[in-house]
Amino acid sequence: MNKSIADRLTRLSVRLEELNQLLSSEKITADLDKYRKLTRERAEIVPVVELYQAYQQTELDIKTAREMIADPQMRDFAETEIVAGKEKLQKTEAELIKQLLPKDPNDERNIFLEIRAGTGGDESALFAGNLFRMYTRYAERQRWQVEIISQSPSDVGGYKEIIARIIGYGAYSRLKFESGAHRVQRVPATETQGRVHTSTCTVAVIPEVDEITGVELNPADLRIDTFRASGAGGQHINKTDSAVRITHLPTGIVVECQEGRSQHKNKAQAMSVLAARILDKQMREQQAEQAATRKSLVGSGERSERIRTYNFPQGRVTDHRINLTLYKMDQIMDGDIDELCSALMAEHQAEQLASMMEK
């Protein structure tokens, strides 16, 4: 086992003993906040320490078996025990490393999914519609809910921009690597000579903030405008100023919401999106600083980064970050993106492990 990992496990074992002593004190419940904090910490450490103790016991069993080899009558048994012990050590070490990998505090959160047409004109807007359907179908497979926050339809179909909220446990953990530029190569319906065109869309996946208080929003920093919603929506939605636009003056972030009939509901939804975008901006700035010393293999999430190509004539989808190509275009566009998501998560864990080994 890597020495740095062994040292971390030893420190966790010592910390567990400290926590056991603190929690056994008669006075610990006098401060309930501290008691809950220590209890949560202990609950996180116990499985790791128990696994480490099992690893250490297996090492002792192997050592004992090696000592038995000198006895001719016990040699076969000892050799069998050594082989089994080494296999168990490998499995236990792999599980320990998995337990020690840093956990993203946002993994369990709902998300805001933002898709915007890029280069390619009408074809880009059509592809934005394809991507939105892909993610919606994936959400349905996961039994997640999808709520449209705002949309700007294209005249030919698809969207110039669409923002949706996806509600489901672990939504961010599965979709967080989708942020970036998605490129499509195909023959547009309007192309008379059969030439392949290249267009792009940008996707942003932002974790939802639990409470607006999670981000400091000074009312003096906000400009709130109301206006009539555009597009189809019936007499009510087009005759009242129910749509809301909020501008965060310090960052220049602008959020619009016009899907609801109620101005109050639209404002609350827009504030939630604004808080998530501000937090996402802060996170990306922090990640950019970290990337200056070590570049992440799969997930800077920068919007200018071309992350994936959808080549319709060849029926292939290629993720450029991990050099993965799948020849299952129809299934992927119908929301079957589990293989892509899992491969990206595995690569991210491998990068985390490499970083952990260097420390």
Side-chain angles (χ1 to χ4, degrees), residues 180-193:
H182 293 241
R183 183 175 70 172
V184 61
Q185 295 174 323
R186 64 184 176 187
V187 180
T190 56
E191 171 58 57
T192 57
Q193 299 182 20

Side-chain angles (χ1 to χ4, degrees), residues 194-218:
R195 292 175 300 185
V196 174
H197 289 227
T198 298
S199 306
T200 61
C201 290
T202 57
V203 174
V205 176
I206 304 171
E208 182 181 33
V209 182
D210 282 340
E211 299 288 343
I212 289 180
T213 52
V215 175
E216 291 293 331
L217 290 178
N218 187 339

Side-chain angles (χ1 to χ4, degrees), residues 51-159:
L51 207 56
Y52 185 43
Q53 290 171 344
Y55 181 91
Q56 291 175 310
Q57 183 59 52
T58 303
E59 284 186 319
L60 288 174
D61 293 342
I62 292 174
K63 182 180 179 182
T64 301
R66 281 176 174 156
E67 292 172 352
M68 293 166 59
I69 287 181
D71 185 343
Q73 294 182 336
M74 300 296 293
R75 181 175 294 132
D76 290 345
F77 172 77
E79 289 176 347
T80 301
E81 287 294 296
I82 290 171
V83 171
K86 287 182 177 179
E87 290 179 359
K88 186 177 179 180
L89 270 186
Q90 288 181 340
K91 290 180 181 179
T92 307
E93 183 176 354
E95 183 60 30
L96 275 169
I97 290 172
K98 186 177 178 181
Q99 293 276 359
L100 288 174
L101 290 177
K103 294 177 177 59
D104 189 331
N106 293 317
D107 273 350
E108 298 172 2
R109 295 182 186 272
N110 303 328
I111 64 168
F112 290 111
L113 172 69
E114 304 181 357
I115 303 174
R116 294 180 178 84
T119 56
D122 290 342
E123 176 63 12
S124 177
L126 289 170
F127 184 55
N130 297 149
L131 287 177
F132 181 65
R133 181 184 182 277
M134 180 183 79
Y135 292 123
T136 300
R137 294 285 291 124
Y138 180 68
E140 290 172 358
R141 291 167 184 258
Q142 305 298 317
R143 300 187 184 280
W144 297 338
Q145 292 178 264
V146 178
E147 294 179 354
I148 295 178
I149 303 300
S150 69
Q151 57 180 307
S152 177
S154 166
D155 294 336
V156 297
Y159 303 97

